[in-house]
């Protein structure tokens, strides 16, 4: 069996969007067949504008077979499992438009020491994290802060007894100092005779022994000793990320990655079975020929793992003053930002990838980067002819008000991450001044201009939890609490609009609106059950809602309904 046959036999059905639609009738049962599971007494937000609410849904196989009390009750048979949701809130599974999923998932297995406020707490958090790792694996992560326990720097003795077989290298919150245990020092070859490299420090005690703290360039000695993760390590981290996402009601992730590691892992996970969560993998635009060849050879994957999208970058970020603006930065008039690639190259890649039928997602943060991307998309349509393309601008963070209508005119999807608004909102005005705040994180303006607003997280830059994104879009309160009425409050949107941006809009962005993103008969059964109705609770409490139950492809993947 060659590789292609293996993949075909494993994937079975649904190679490519057109094919999946063509085989749809094979999944449909006769109308009289009983449901596998009936969910009753629910408060359902369907995502269907003409019938936005329902109280029951039924699934058969991997599909939603009935919606609404009457239809569901009529299809209950003797073998149907019924679940009384007692008023719980049901939404289509959340789809996240932008994550760096592998890096974030690897972070889940690492230590999070931000809250350690004593020597004992530091040791017990490290012990707990070490216990979750396979034998001999390095414990990384950290973000400890000695100011939380009075200012004494930690030493290897604090943690050696709880990590006899786990090498530990955990960074201080500023990322400049690292705490090592004795095993890590040994593996890194650091002892009393070691001399720090230029730009680095190895702290030693009164007896001349290393205490376990190394600074700046001395960290290189440690990094050389940490093995590259194997494919098995990567896949195990991905599975941890999947379990975490399912616990938050996330059923599909769009990978917007600048390397191929996640893509390769997703292909391995799919060959092993159902990953449990769906993925659409975007890979780096400069490599468009590789994915084009794959699409020609194998199609675009199936509804578990799909590909055919390219991620390109125009500019950098606002925080580092590398986002590209028409005018200079307010707090540094010497720069108006940078481009990540020569724009001529980027343009040629966009023309060529689009010509090959691939989907384009282009990172643009500053107003000039957004205008350049809109112009280039217009030129692409002109050059390659009309087609259903679903161009995406990733972040679309600072857009001149006059350019906002162009998103709808060119059918460009603003692929935004609302948590960034309440994070950057603390200091964005310093960078760009008050005038350019018009068109900054302009969610309401995009909707009013007819664009299909799409939401995601940018995990690990922001939390994966969609409720934090909905809260940010609805209330726009900056994370420092300085804007209780909302930062740029005229750009607040409704909970209903935020739910659409996390469900129907992302199904559309992935060319899957015929089978994902809504709760309607015939669609794939992907949904989440929450303990609070986001449409009726006090918006202050949105982030306190809990996911109770997550179903993907008709199977329960996370459950605490009890
Ligand atoms: Zn990103």
């Amino acid at each position: 069996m060659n590789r292609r046959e293996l993949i075909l036999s494993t994937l079975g059905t649904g190679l490519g969007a057109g094919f999946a639609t063509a085989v749809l009738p094979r999944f449909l049962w006769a109308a009289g067949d009983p449901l596998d599971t009936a969910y009753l007494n629910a408060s359902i937000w369907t995502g269907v504008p003409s019938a936005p609410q329902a109280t029951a849904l039924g699934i058969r196989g991997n599909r939603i077979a009935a919606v609404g009390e009457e239809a569901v009750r009529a299809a209950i048979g003797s073998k149907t499992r019924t679940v009384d949701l007692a008023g719980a809130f049901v939404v289509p599974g959340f789809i996240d438009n932008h994550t760096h999923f592998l890096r974030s998932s690897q972070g889940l297995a690492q230590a999070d020491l931000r809250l350690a406020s004593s020597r004992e707490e530091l040791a017990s958090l490290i012990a707990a994290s070490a216990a979750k790792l396979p034998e001999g694996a390095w414990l990384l992560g950290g973000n400890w802060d000695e100011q939380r326990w009075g200012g004494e720097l930690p030493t290897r003795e604090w943690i050696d007894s709880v990590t006899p077989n786990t090498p530990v290298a955990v960074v201080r919150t500023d990322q400049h100092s690292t705490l090592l245990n004795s095993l890590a020092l040994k593996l890194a070859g650091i002892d009393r005779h070691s001399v720090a490299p230029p730009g680095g420090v190895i702290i030693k005690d009164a007896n001349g022994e290393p205490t376990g703290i190394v600074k700046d360039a001395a960290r290189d000695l440690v990094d050389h000793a940490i093995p590259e993760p194997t494919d098995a390590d990567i896949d195990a981290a991905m599975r941890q990320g999947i379990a975490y996402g399912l616990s938050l009601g996330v059923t599909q992730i769009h990978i917007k990655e600048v390397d191929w590691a996640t893509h390769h892992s997703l292909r391995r996970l799919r060959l092993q079975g159902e990953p449990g969560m769906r993925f659409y993998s975007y890979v780096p635009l400069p490599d468009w020929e590789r994915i084009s060849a794959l699409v020609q050879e194998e199609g675009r994957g199936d509804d578990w793992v799909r590909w055919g999208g390219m991620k390109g970058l125009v500019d950098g970020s606002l925080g580092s003053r590398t986002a590209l603006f028409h005018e200079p930065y307010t707090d540094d008039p010497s720069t108006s930002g940078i481009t990540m690639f020569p724009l001529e190259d980027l343009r040629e890649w966009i023309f060529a990838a689009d010509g090959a039928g691939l989907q384009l997602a282009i990172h643009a943060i500053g107003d000039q980067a957004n205008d350049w991307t809109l112009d280039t998309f217009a030129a692409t349509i002109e050059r390659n002819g009309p087609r259903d393309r679903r161009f995406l601008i990733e972040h679309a963070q600072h857009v001149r008000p006059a350019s906002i209508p162009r998103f709808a005119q060119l059918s460009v999807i603003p692929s935004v991450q609302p948590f960034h608004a309440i994070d950057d909102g603390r200091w964005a005005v310093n960078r760009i001044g008050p005038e350019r705040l018009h068109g900054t994180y302009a969610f309401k303006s995009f909707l009013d201009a007819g664009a299909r607003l799409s939401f995601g997280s940018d995990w690990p830059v922001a939390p994966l939890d969609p409720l934090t994104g909905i809260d940010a879009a609805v209330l726009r309160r900056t994370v420092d609490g300085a804007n209780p009425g909302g930062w740029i409050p005229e750009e607040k949107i409704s909970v209903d609009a935020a739910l659409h941006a996390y469900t129907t809009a992302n199904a559309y962005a992935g060319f899957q609106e015929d089978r994902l993103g809504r709760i309607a008969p015939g669609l794939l059964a992907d949904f989440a059950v929450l303990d609070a109705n986001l449409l009726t609770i006090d918006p202050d409490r949105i982030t306190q809602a809990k996911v109770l139950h997550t179903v993907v492809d008709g199977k329960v993947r996370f459950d605490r309904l009890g």
Side-chain angles (χ1 to χ4, degrees):
M1 197 184 265
N2 68 27
R3 197 172 56 127
R4 180 158 190 272
E5 286 165 347
L6 176 68
I7 288 166
L8 282 171
S9 70
T10 313
L11 300 189
T13 53
L15 288 168
F19 188 73
T21 310
V23 298
L24 190 70
R26 281 216 290 141
F27 294 99
L28 296 178
W29 282 254
D33 284 353
L35 300 169
D36 293 333
T37 309
Y39 289 88
L40 301 168
N41 299 320
S43 202
I44 303 172
W45 181 87
T46 63
V48 179
S50 60
Q53 285 171 28
T55 57
L57 79 96
I59 59 181
R60 193 187 290 131
N62 67 340
R63 301 255 163 191
I64 296 166
V67 177
E69 180 89 23
E70 219 173 298
V72 171
R73 291 218 182 262
I76 291 176
S78 59
K79 289 183 181 153
T80 303
R81 189 173 76 101
T82 60
V83 180
D84 182 348
L85 286 180
F89 187 56
V90 180
V91 290
F94 293 117
I95 305 176
D96 188 314
N97 69 19
H98 187 124
T99 70
H100 302 277
F101 196 78
L102 172 56
R103 194 181 355 137
S104 317
S105 299
Q106 288 170 323
L108 291 175
Q110 295 170 355
D112 182 358
L113 307 174
R114 268 173 291 202
L115 297 181
S117 58
S118 67
R119 173 179 174 156
E120 293 70 30
E121 266 180 38
L122 182 79
S124 77
L125 285 169
I126 285 179
S129 298
K132 287 191 248 164
L133 289 176
E135 184 78 26
W138 281 72
L139 180 64
L140 306 171
N143 291 311
W144 50 269
D145 181 357
E146 77 284 359
Q147 298 307 326
R148 292 181 67 97
W149 57 76
E152 188 189 352
L153 278 177
T155 69
R156 60 192 159 86
E157 283 93 358
W158 292 22
I159 57 173
D160 272 347
S161 66
V162 294
T163 53
N165 303 313
T166 303
V168 178
V170 285
V171 290
R172 187 176 184 276
T173 177
D174 67 356
Q175 317 294 306
H176 286 276
S177 300
T178 302
L179 169 66
L180 308 172
N181 66 352
S182 291
L183 180 54
L185 285 166
K186 188 174 152 210
L187 293 171
I190 300 172
D191 61 22
R192 58 183 296 116
H193 307 293
S194 300
V195 178
V201 176
I202 299 170
I203 297 185
K204 293 180 181 168
D205 64 19
N207 301 320
E209 296 291 338
T211 65
I213 296 286
V214 298
K215 294 190 178 185
D216 293 312
R219 166 82 197 211
D220 293 349
L221 302 170
V222 185
D223 288 337
H224 288 308
I226 302 174
E228 287 290 315
T230 63
D231 287 354
D233 295 336
I234 288 173
D235 297 352
M238 290 288 287
R239 289 193 190 284
Q240 259 195 296
I242 289 168
Y244 176 61
L246 292 168
S247 78
L248 302 172
V250 178
T251 58
Q252 175 160 302
I253 292 275
H254 293 190
I255 304 287
K256 300 280 169 65
E257 206 43 275
V258 291
D259 63 46
W260 286 72
T262 319
H263 182 80
H264 294 318
S265 175
L266 290 172
R267 303 248 314 170
R268 289 193 298 271
L269 293 182
R270 183 66 189 100
L271 284 172
Q272 290 160 25
E274 295 179 351
M277 179 187 278
R278 304 184 194 279
F279 291 88
Y280 183 11
S281 165
Y282 293 70
V283 290
L285 176 58
D287 304 332
W288 68 270
E289 284 166 297
R290 276 174 74 183
I291 210 77
S292 177
L294 183 68
V295 166
Q296 279 174 29
E297 196 187 335
E298 296 179 9
R300 293 174 191 248
D302 67 358
D303 281 326
W304 283 112
V305 177
R306 301 174 66 243
W307 53 80
M310 310 306 301
K311 157 90 179 281
L313 293 146
V314 179
D315 61 349
S317 71
L318 186 70
S320 58
R321 297 190 191 85
T322 50
L324 185 66
F325 285 89
H326 289 288
E327 305 293 332
Y329 281 85
T330 305
D331 58 359
D332 183 359
S334 74
T335 181
S336 52
I338 63 163
T339 60
M340 304 296 280
F341 296 97
L343 292 181
E344 259 323 294
D345 290 352
L346 193 53
R347 216 167 110 98
E348 289 308 315
W349 293 329
I350 289 172
F351 287 162
D354 179 79
L358 303 171
Q359 190 187 19
L360 287 156
I362 304 295
H363 164 121
I365 297 219
D367 55 15
Q368 193 186 343
N370 276 277
D371 283 337
W372 182 88
T373 308
L374 291 164
D375 290 344
T376 304
F377 283 162
T380 307
I381 296 168
E382 182 84 359
R383 188 187 153 110
N384 293 345
R387 194 178 86 231
D388 183 6
R389 296 180 156 81
R390 312 195 186 182
F391 286 136
L392 297 145
I393 293 187
E394 297 303 313
H395 310 304
Q397 210 165 287
H398 311 282
V399 181
R400 282 183 162 179
S403 300
I404 286 178
R406 298 186 71 199
F407 282 77
Q409 285 155 16
L410 296 168
S411 298
V412 175
I413 299 166
S415 169
V416 304
Q417 298 77 36
F419 191 87
H420 290 336
I422 61 168
D423 198 359
D424 293 9
R426 290 171 296 153
W427 44 262
V429 69
N430 302 335
R431 293 275 188 281
I432 57 176
E435 193 49 44
R436 283 182 285 190
L437 293 185
H438 302 291
T440 283
Y441 295 107
F443 308 149
K444 178 79 163 36
S445 298
F446 280 127
L447 287 173
D448 290 348
R452 288 176 189 263
L453 185 71
S454 143
F455 276 177
S457 62
D458 207 2
W459 191 45
V461 186
L464 181 61
D465 185 353
L467 299 181
T468 64
I470 294 170
D471 164 89
V474 170
L475 296 173
R476 290 182 76 103
R477 289 180 185 159
T478 51
V479 293
D480 58 3
N483 296 278
W487 179 64
I488 322 179
E490 59 273 24
E491 295 292 350
K492 289 181 190 174
I493 64 170
S494 67
V495 171
D496 181 76
L499 287 172
H500 273 291
Y502 261 118
T503 56
T504 58
N506 285 333
Y508 177 84
F511 293 92
Q512 295 161 295
E513 72 275 17
D514 62 339
R515 52 204 191 277
L516 286 180
R518 288 169 291 140
I519 293 178
L523 271 64
L524 291 167
D526 292 11
F527 57 90
V529 180
L530 285 78
D531 68 355
N533 185 331
L534 302 181
L535 296 160
T536 57
I537 56 169
D538 181 343
D540 280 353
R541 301 190 46 221
I542 289 172
T543 56
Q544 292 161 33
K546 291 271 174 296
V547 170
L548 302 173
H549 190 76
T550 305
V551 171
V552 186
D553 210 51
K555 284 192 193 148
V556 179
R557 312 281 171 170
F558 170 79
D559 189 35
R560 58 172 165 221
L561 269 177

